[in-house]
Amino acid sequence: MEKVNLISGMRSTGRLHLGHYMGVITNWVKLQDEYNCFYFVADWHALTTKYDNTQNLRQDKLDVVLDWLACGIDPDKSVIYFQSKVLQIAELHILLSMITPNNWAERDPTLKDMVKILKNKENDTSDNMPQMTYGLLGYPILMSADIMALNAAIVPVGIDQLAHLEITRDIARRFNNIYKTDLFNEPKPKLTEIPLLLGVDGQKMGKSFNNDIKISDDEETTSKRIMQCVTDRTRARKDDPGHPEQCEVAFKYYQAFANEETVQQVECECRAGKRGCADCKRQLGKIINEKFAPIREKREEYKKDTDKVYDIINEGSKKAALEAEKVMKKVRDAVNI
Ligand code: TRP
Ligand code: SF4
């Protein structure tokens, strides 16, 4: 049986953190054998909020791909590309924008959250949405174009993206109805089971919260950051019995990155008051550094040979465009344009 198309993208946020690694990338790596995977950097989407701050955009896009390659996204198995190199997506975006009622985008709760975050950044407390642009309003329609241009059936995303994907399904259905065709799949989300990794301070991990550990951070930076991890706050002295289940970050990281045996040992010693938190985190730093050493090494190699990386991206972009062109031929026929 032919494999179906699977698509997922990330905005070009620059170097990725351990939350991306656990929550998204390991999952993408696994999916490579089961599906025709298309993984892309959503650089147009980055512009929906950062149109006036593009100095680092090119470096950020490259950094994302370097992290993917280092973590095992394999260009021989998956198509890796930049969204802005596949012009068919822009063409489809225009056609979809014609048939999408304004209020479908306006009531997208994820988009509302994005606007709130933008407002907070600019300390704007007014009720109108001064920084809401035409492009940002079109965020879910552009995302629909990404997915539908490849007529992908499966979209691995986090819960935060489900509202966007619901709009994609509505748009696909509406297109099929209006143009009396069965051209488009209604793409299905594929939720990751891996729980999200928190930042070292116990809040959501994110670049802007300054609580993240990057995949490509060096050993020293990583160890220092790990020492900042929140532990069992009820514990005053190191021979007090601890509660791993209340150790909000450090023990969770052990569960994510250490082997079963180590996790059990840590748990026992912690409960028995035989393990101090500082020592515990020192060991955790070592474990994480060991785990990421080969990944960081591989990343360094790619970084030394960016020509090769751009070749991979250009090659992938061509493949994606070819696939999208097949779909667009049918779309143009359906619309009679
Ligand atoms: N909106 C997604 C995010 O912020 C990125 C994205 C853009 C995407 N287009 C997509 C994800 C298409 C899946 C499919 O994470
Ligand atoms: Fe957490 Fe380790 Fe401290 Fe126990 S000893 S509370 S597991 S950091």
Side-chain angles (χ1 to χ4, degrees):
M1 218 175 76
E2 215 186 302
K3 289 185 192 171
V4 298
N5 285 354
L6 173 149
I7 187 175
S8 202
M10 276 187 206
R11 269 176 291 161
S12 37
T13 49
R15 295 190 301 133
L16 302 175
H17 55 56
L18 301 195
H20 293 120
Y21 178 82
M22 284 313 288
V24 186
I25 304 178
T26 47
N27 192 39
W28 284 13
V29 170
K30 277 191 223 131
L31 293 166
Q32 293 183 109
D33 296 314
E34 222 178 308
Y35 298 96
N36 271 333
C37 293
F38 292 82
Y39 297 132
F40 71 99
V41 180
D43 47 358
W44 281 328
H45 275 109
L47 288 185
T48 60
T49 55
K50 287 182 69 174
Y51 53 85
D52 56 351
N53 181 8
T54 60
Q55 262 87 359
N56 299 325
L57 185 55
R58 291 200 172 147
Q59 185 60 44
D60 286 348
K61 286 159 61 169
L62 180 65
D63 274 328
V64 170
V65 175
L66 285 173
D67 282 330
W68 290 354
L69 293 170
C71 291
I73 304 291
D74 180 350
D76 290 330
K77 292 181 185 167
S78 301
V79 182
I80 299 170
Y81 60 104
F82 289 157
Q83 178 187 38
S84 63
K85 286 198 164 258
V86 182
L87 298 180
Q88 287 83 354
I89 296 170
E91 183 186 358
L92 185 56
H93 178 236
I94 289 187
L95 295 177
L96 298 182
S97 74
M98 303 302 168
I99 68 165
T100 307
N102 249 3
N103 64 0
W104 287 15
E106 278 162 1
R107 64 172 186 235
D108 180 341
T110 309
L111 208 57
K112 284 188 185 157
D113 286 347
M114 285 176 72
V115 174
K116 250 188 245 155
I117 292 168
L118 277 177
K119 275 187 165 192
N120 286 342
K121 271 196 190 142
E122 298 185 11
N123 281 327
D124 183 347
T125 49
S126 64
D127 269 341
N128 55 12
M129 300 183 184
Q131 55 288 75
M132 176 54 111
T133 62
Y134 178 59
L136 180 55
L137 181 64
Y139 192 106
I141 294 94
L142 181 55
M143 185 158 156
S144 302
D146 295 328
I147 299 165
M148 291 167 65
L150 298 169
N151 213 355
I154 310 277
V155 189
V157 283
I159 306 178
D160 62 315
Q161 299 293 311
L162 285 181
H164 294 324
L165 208 64
E166 201 45 54
I167 294 183
T168 305
R169 295 163 60 80
D170 288 343
I171 294 177
R173 208 176 306 127
R174 186 165 161 88
F175 185 99
N176 288 349
N177 277 336
I178 290 175
Y179 298 111
K180 312 235 167 339
T181 168
D182 56 3
L183 204 168
F184 285 117
N185 296 314
E186 284 180 35
K188 289 193 181 58
K190 190 176 173 65
L191 276 180
T192 21
E193 290 128 39
I194 310 154
L196 279 182
L197 211 62
L198 293 175
V200 292
D201 57 358
Q203 308 297 312
K204 183 177 186 266
M205 189 183 284
K207 182 180 174 178
S208 44
F209 309 121
N210 193 27
N211 63 0
D212 60 342
I213 299 169
K214 305 277 198 265
I215 294 168
S216 54
D217 275 344
D218 61 25
E219 297 202 348
E220 203 193 324
T221 313
T222 304
S223 303
K224 273 196 194 140
R225 257 292 149 88
I226 291 289
M227 294 312 284
Q228 299 169 358
C229 282
V230 174
T231 61
D232 175 2
R233 297 179 207 260
T234 64
R235 213 172 170 210
R237 279 186 312 265
K238 75 186 226 183
D239 45 5
D240 287 345
H243 312 85
E245 67 284 350
Q246 286 175 39
C247 177
E248 288 165 40
V249 181
F251 190 64
K252 293 251 160 58
Y253 282 16
Y254 266 104
Q255 288 174 314
F257 297 108
N259 61 36
E260 191 62 31
E261 206 187 323
T262 310
V263 175
Q264 269 172 20
Q265 192 192 0
V266 169
E267 185 168 0
C268 282
E269 291 180 8
C270 174
R271 281 192 205 290
K274 287 186 181 150
R275 167 177 279 264
C277 290
D279 284 340
C280 191
K281 289 194 278 190
R282 226 164 274 136
Q283 186 189 351
L284 177 62
K286 267 194 207 133
I287 290 171
I288 291 181
N289 277 329
E290 260 165 46
K291 174 159 181 90
F292 285 94
I295 291 176
R296 290 168 183 163
E297 217 170 284
K298 202 166 156 194
R299 193 183 194 280
E300 275 309 304
E301 267 160 42
Y302 277 113
K303 205 175 150 187
K304 276 189 220 138
D305 193 359
T306 48
D307 282 353
K308 184 169 157 193
V309 178
Y310 281 114
D311 279 349
I312 290 171
I313 296 166
N314 289 335
E315 207 46 46
S317 301
K318 266 188 224 153
K319 276 190 209 158
L322 219 60
E323 186 81 6
E325 185 55 28
K326 282 191 224 157
V327 176
M328 284 312 292
K329 281 213 173 77
K330 294 184 201 158
V331 169
R332 291 177 206 120
D333 282 346
V335 178
N336 287 319
I337 197 140

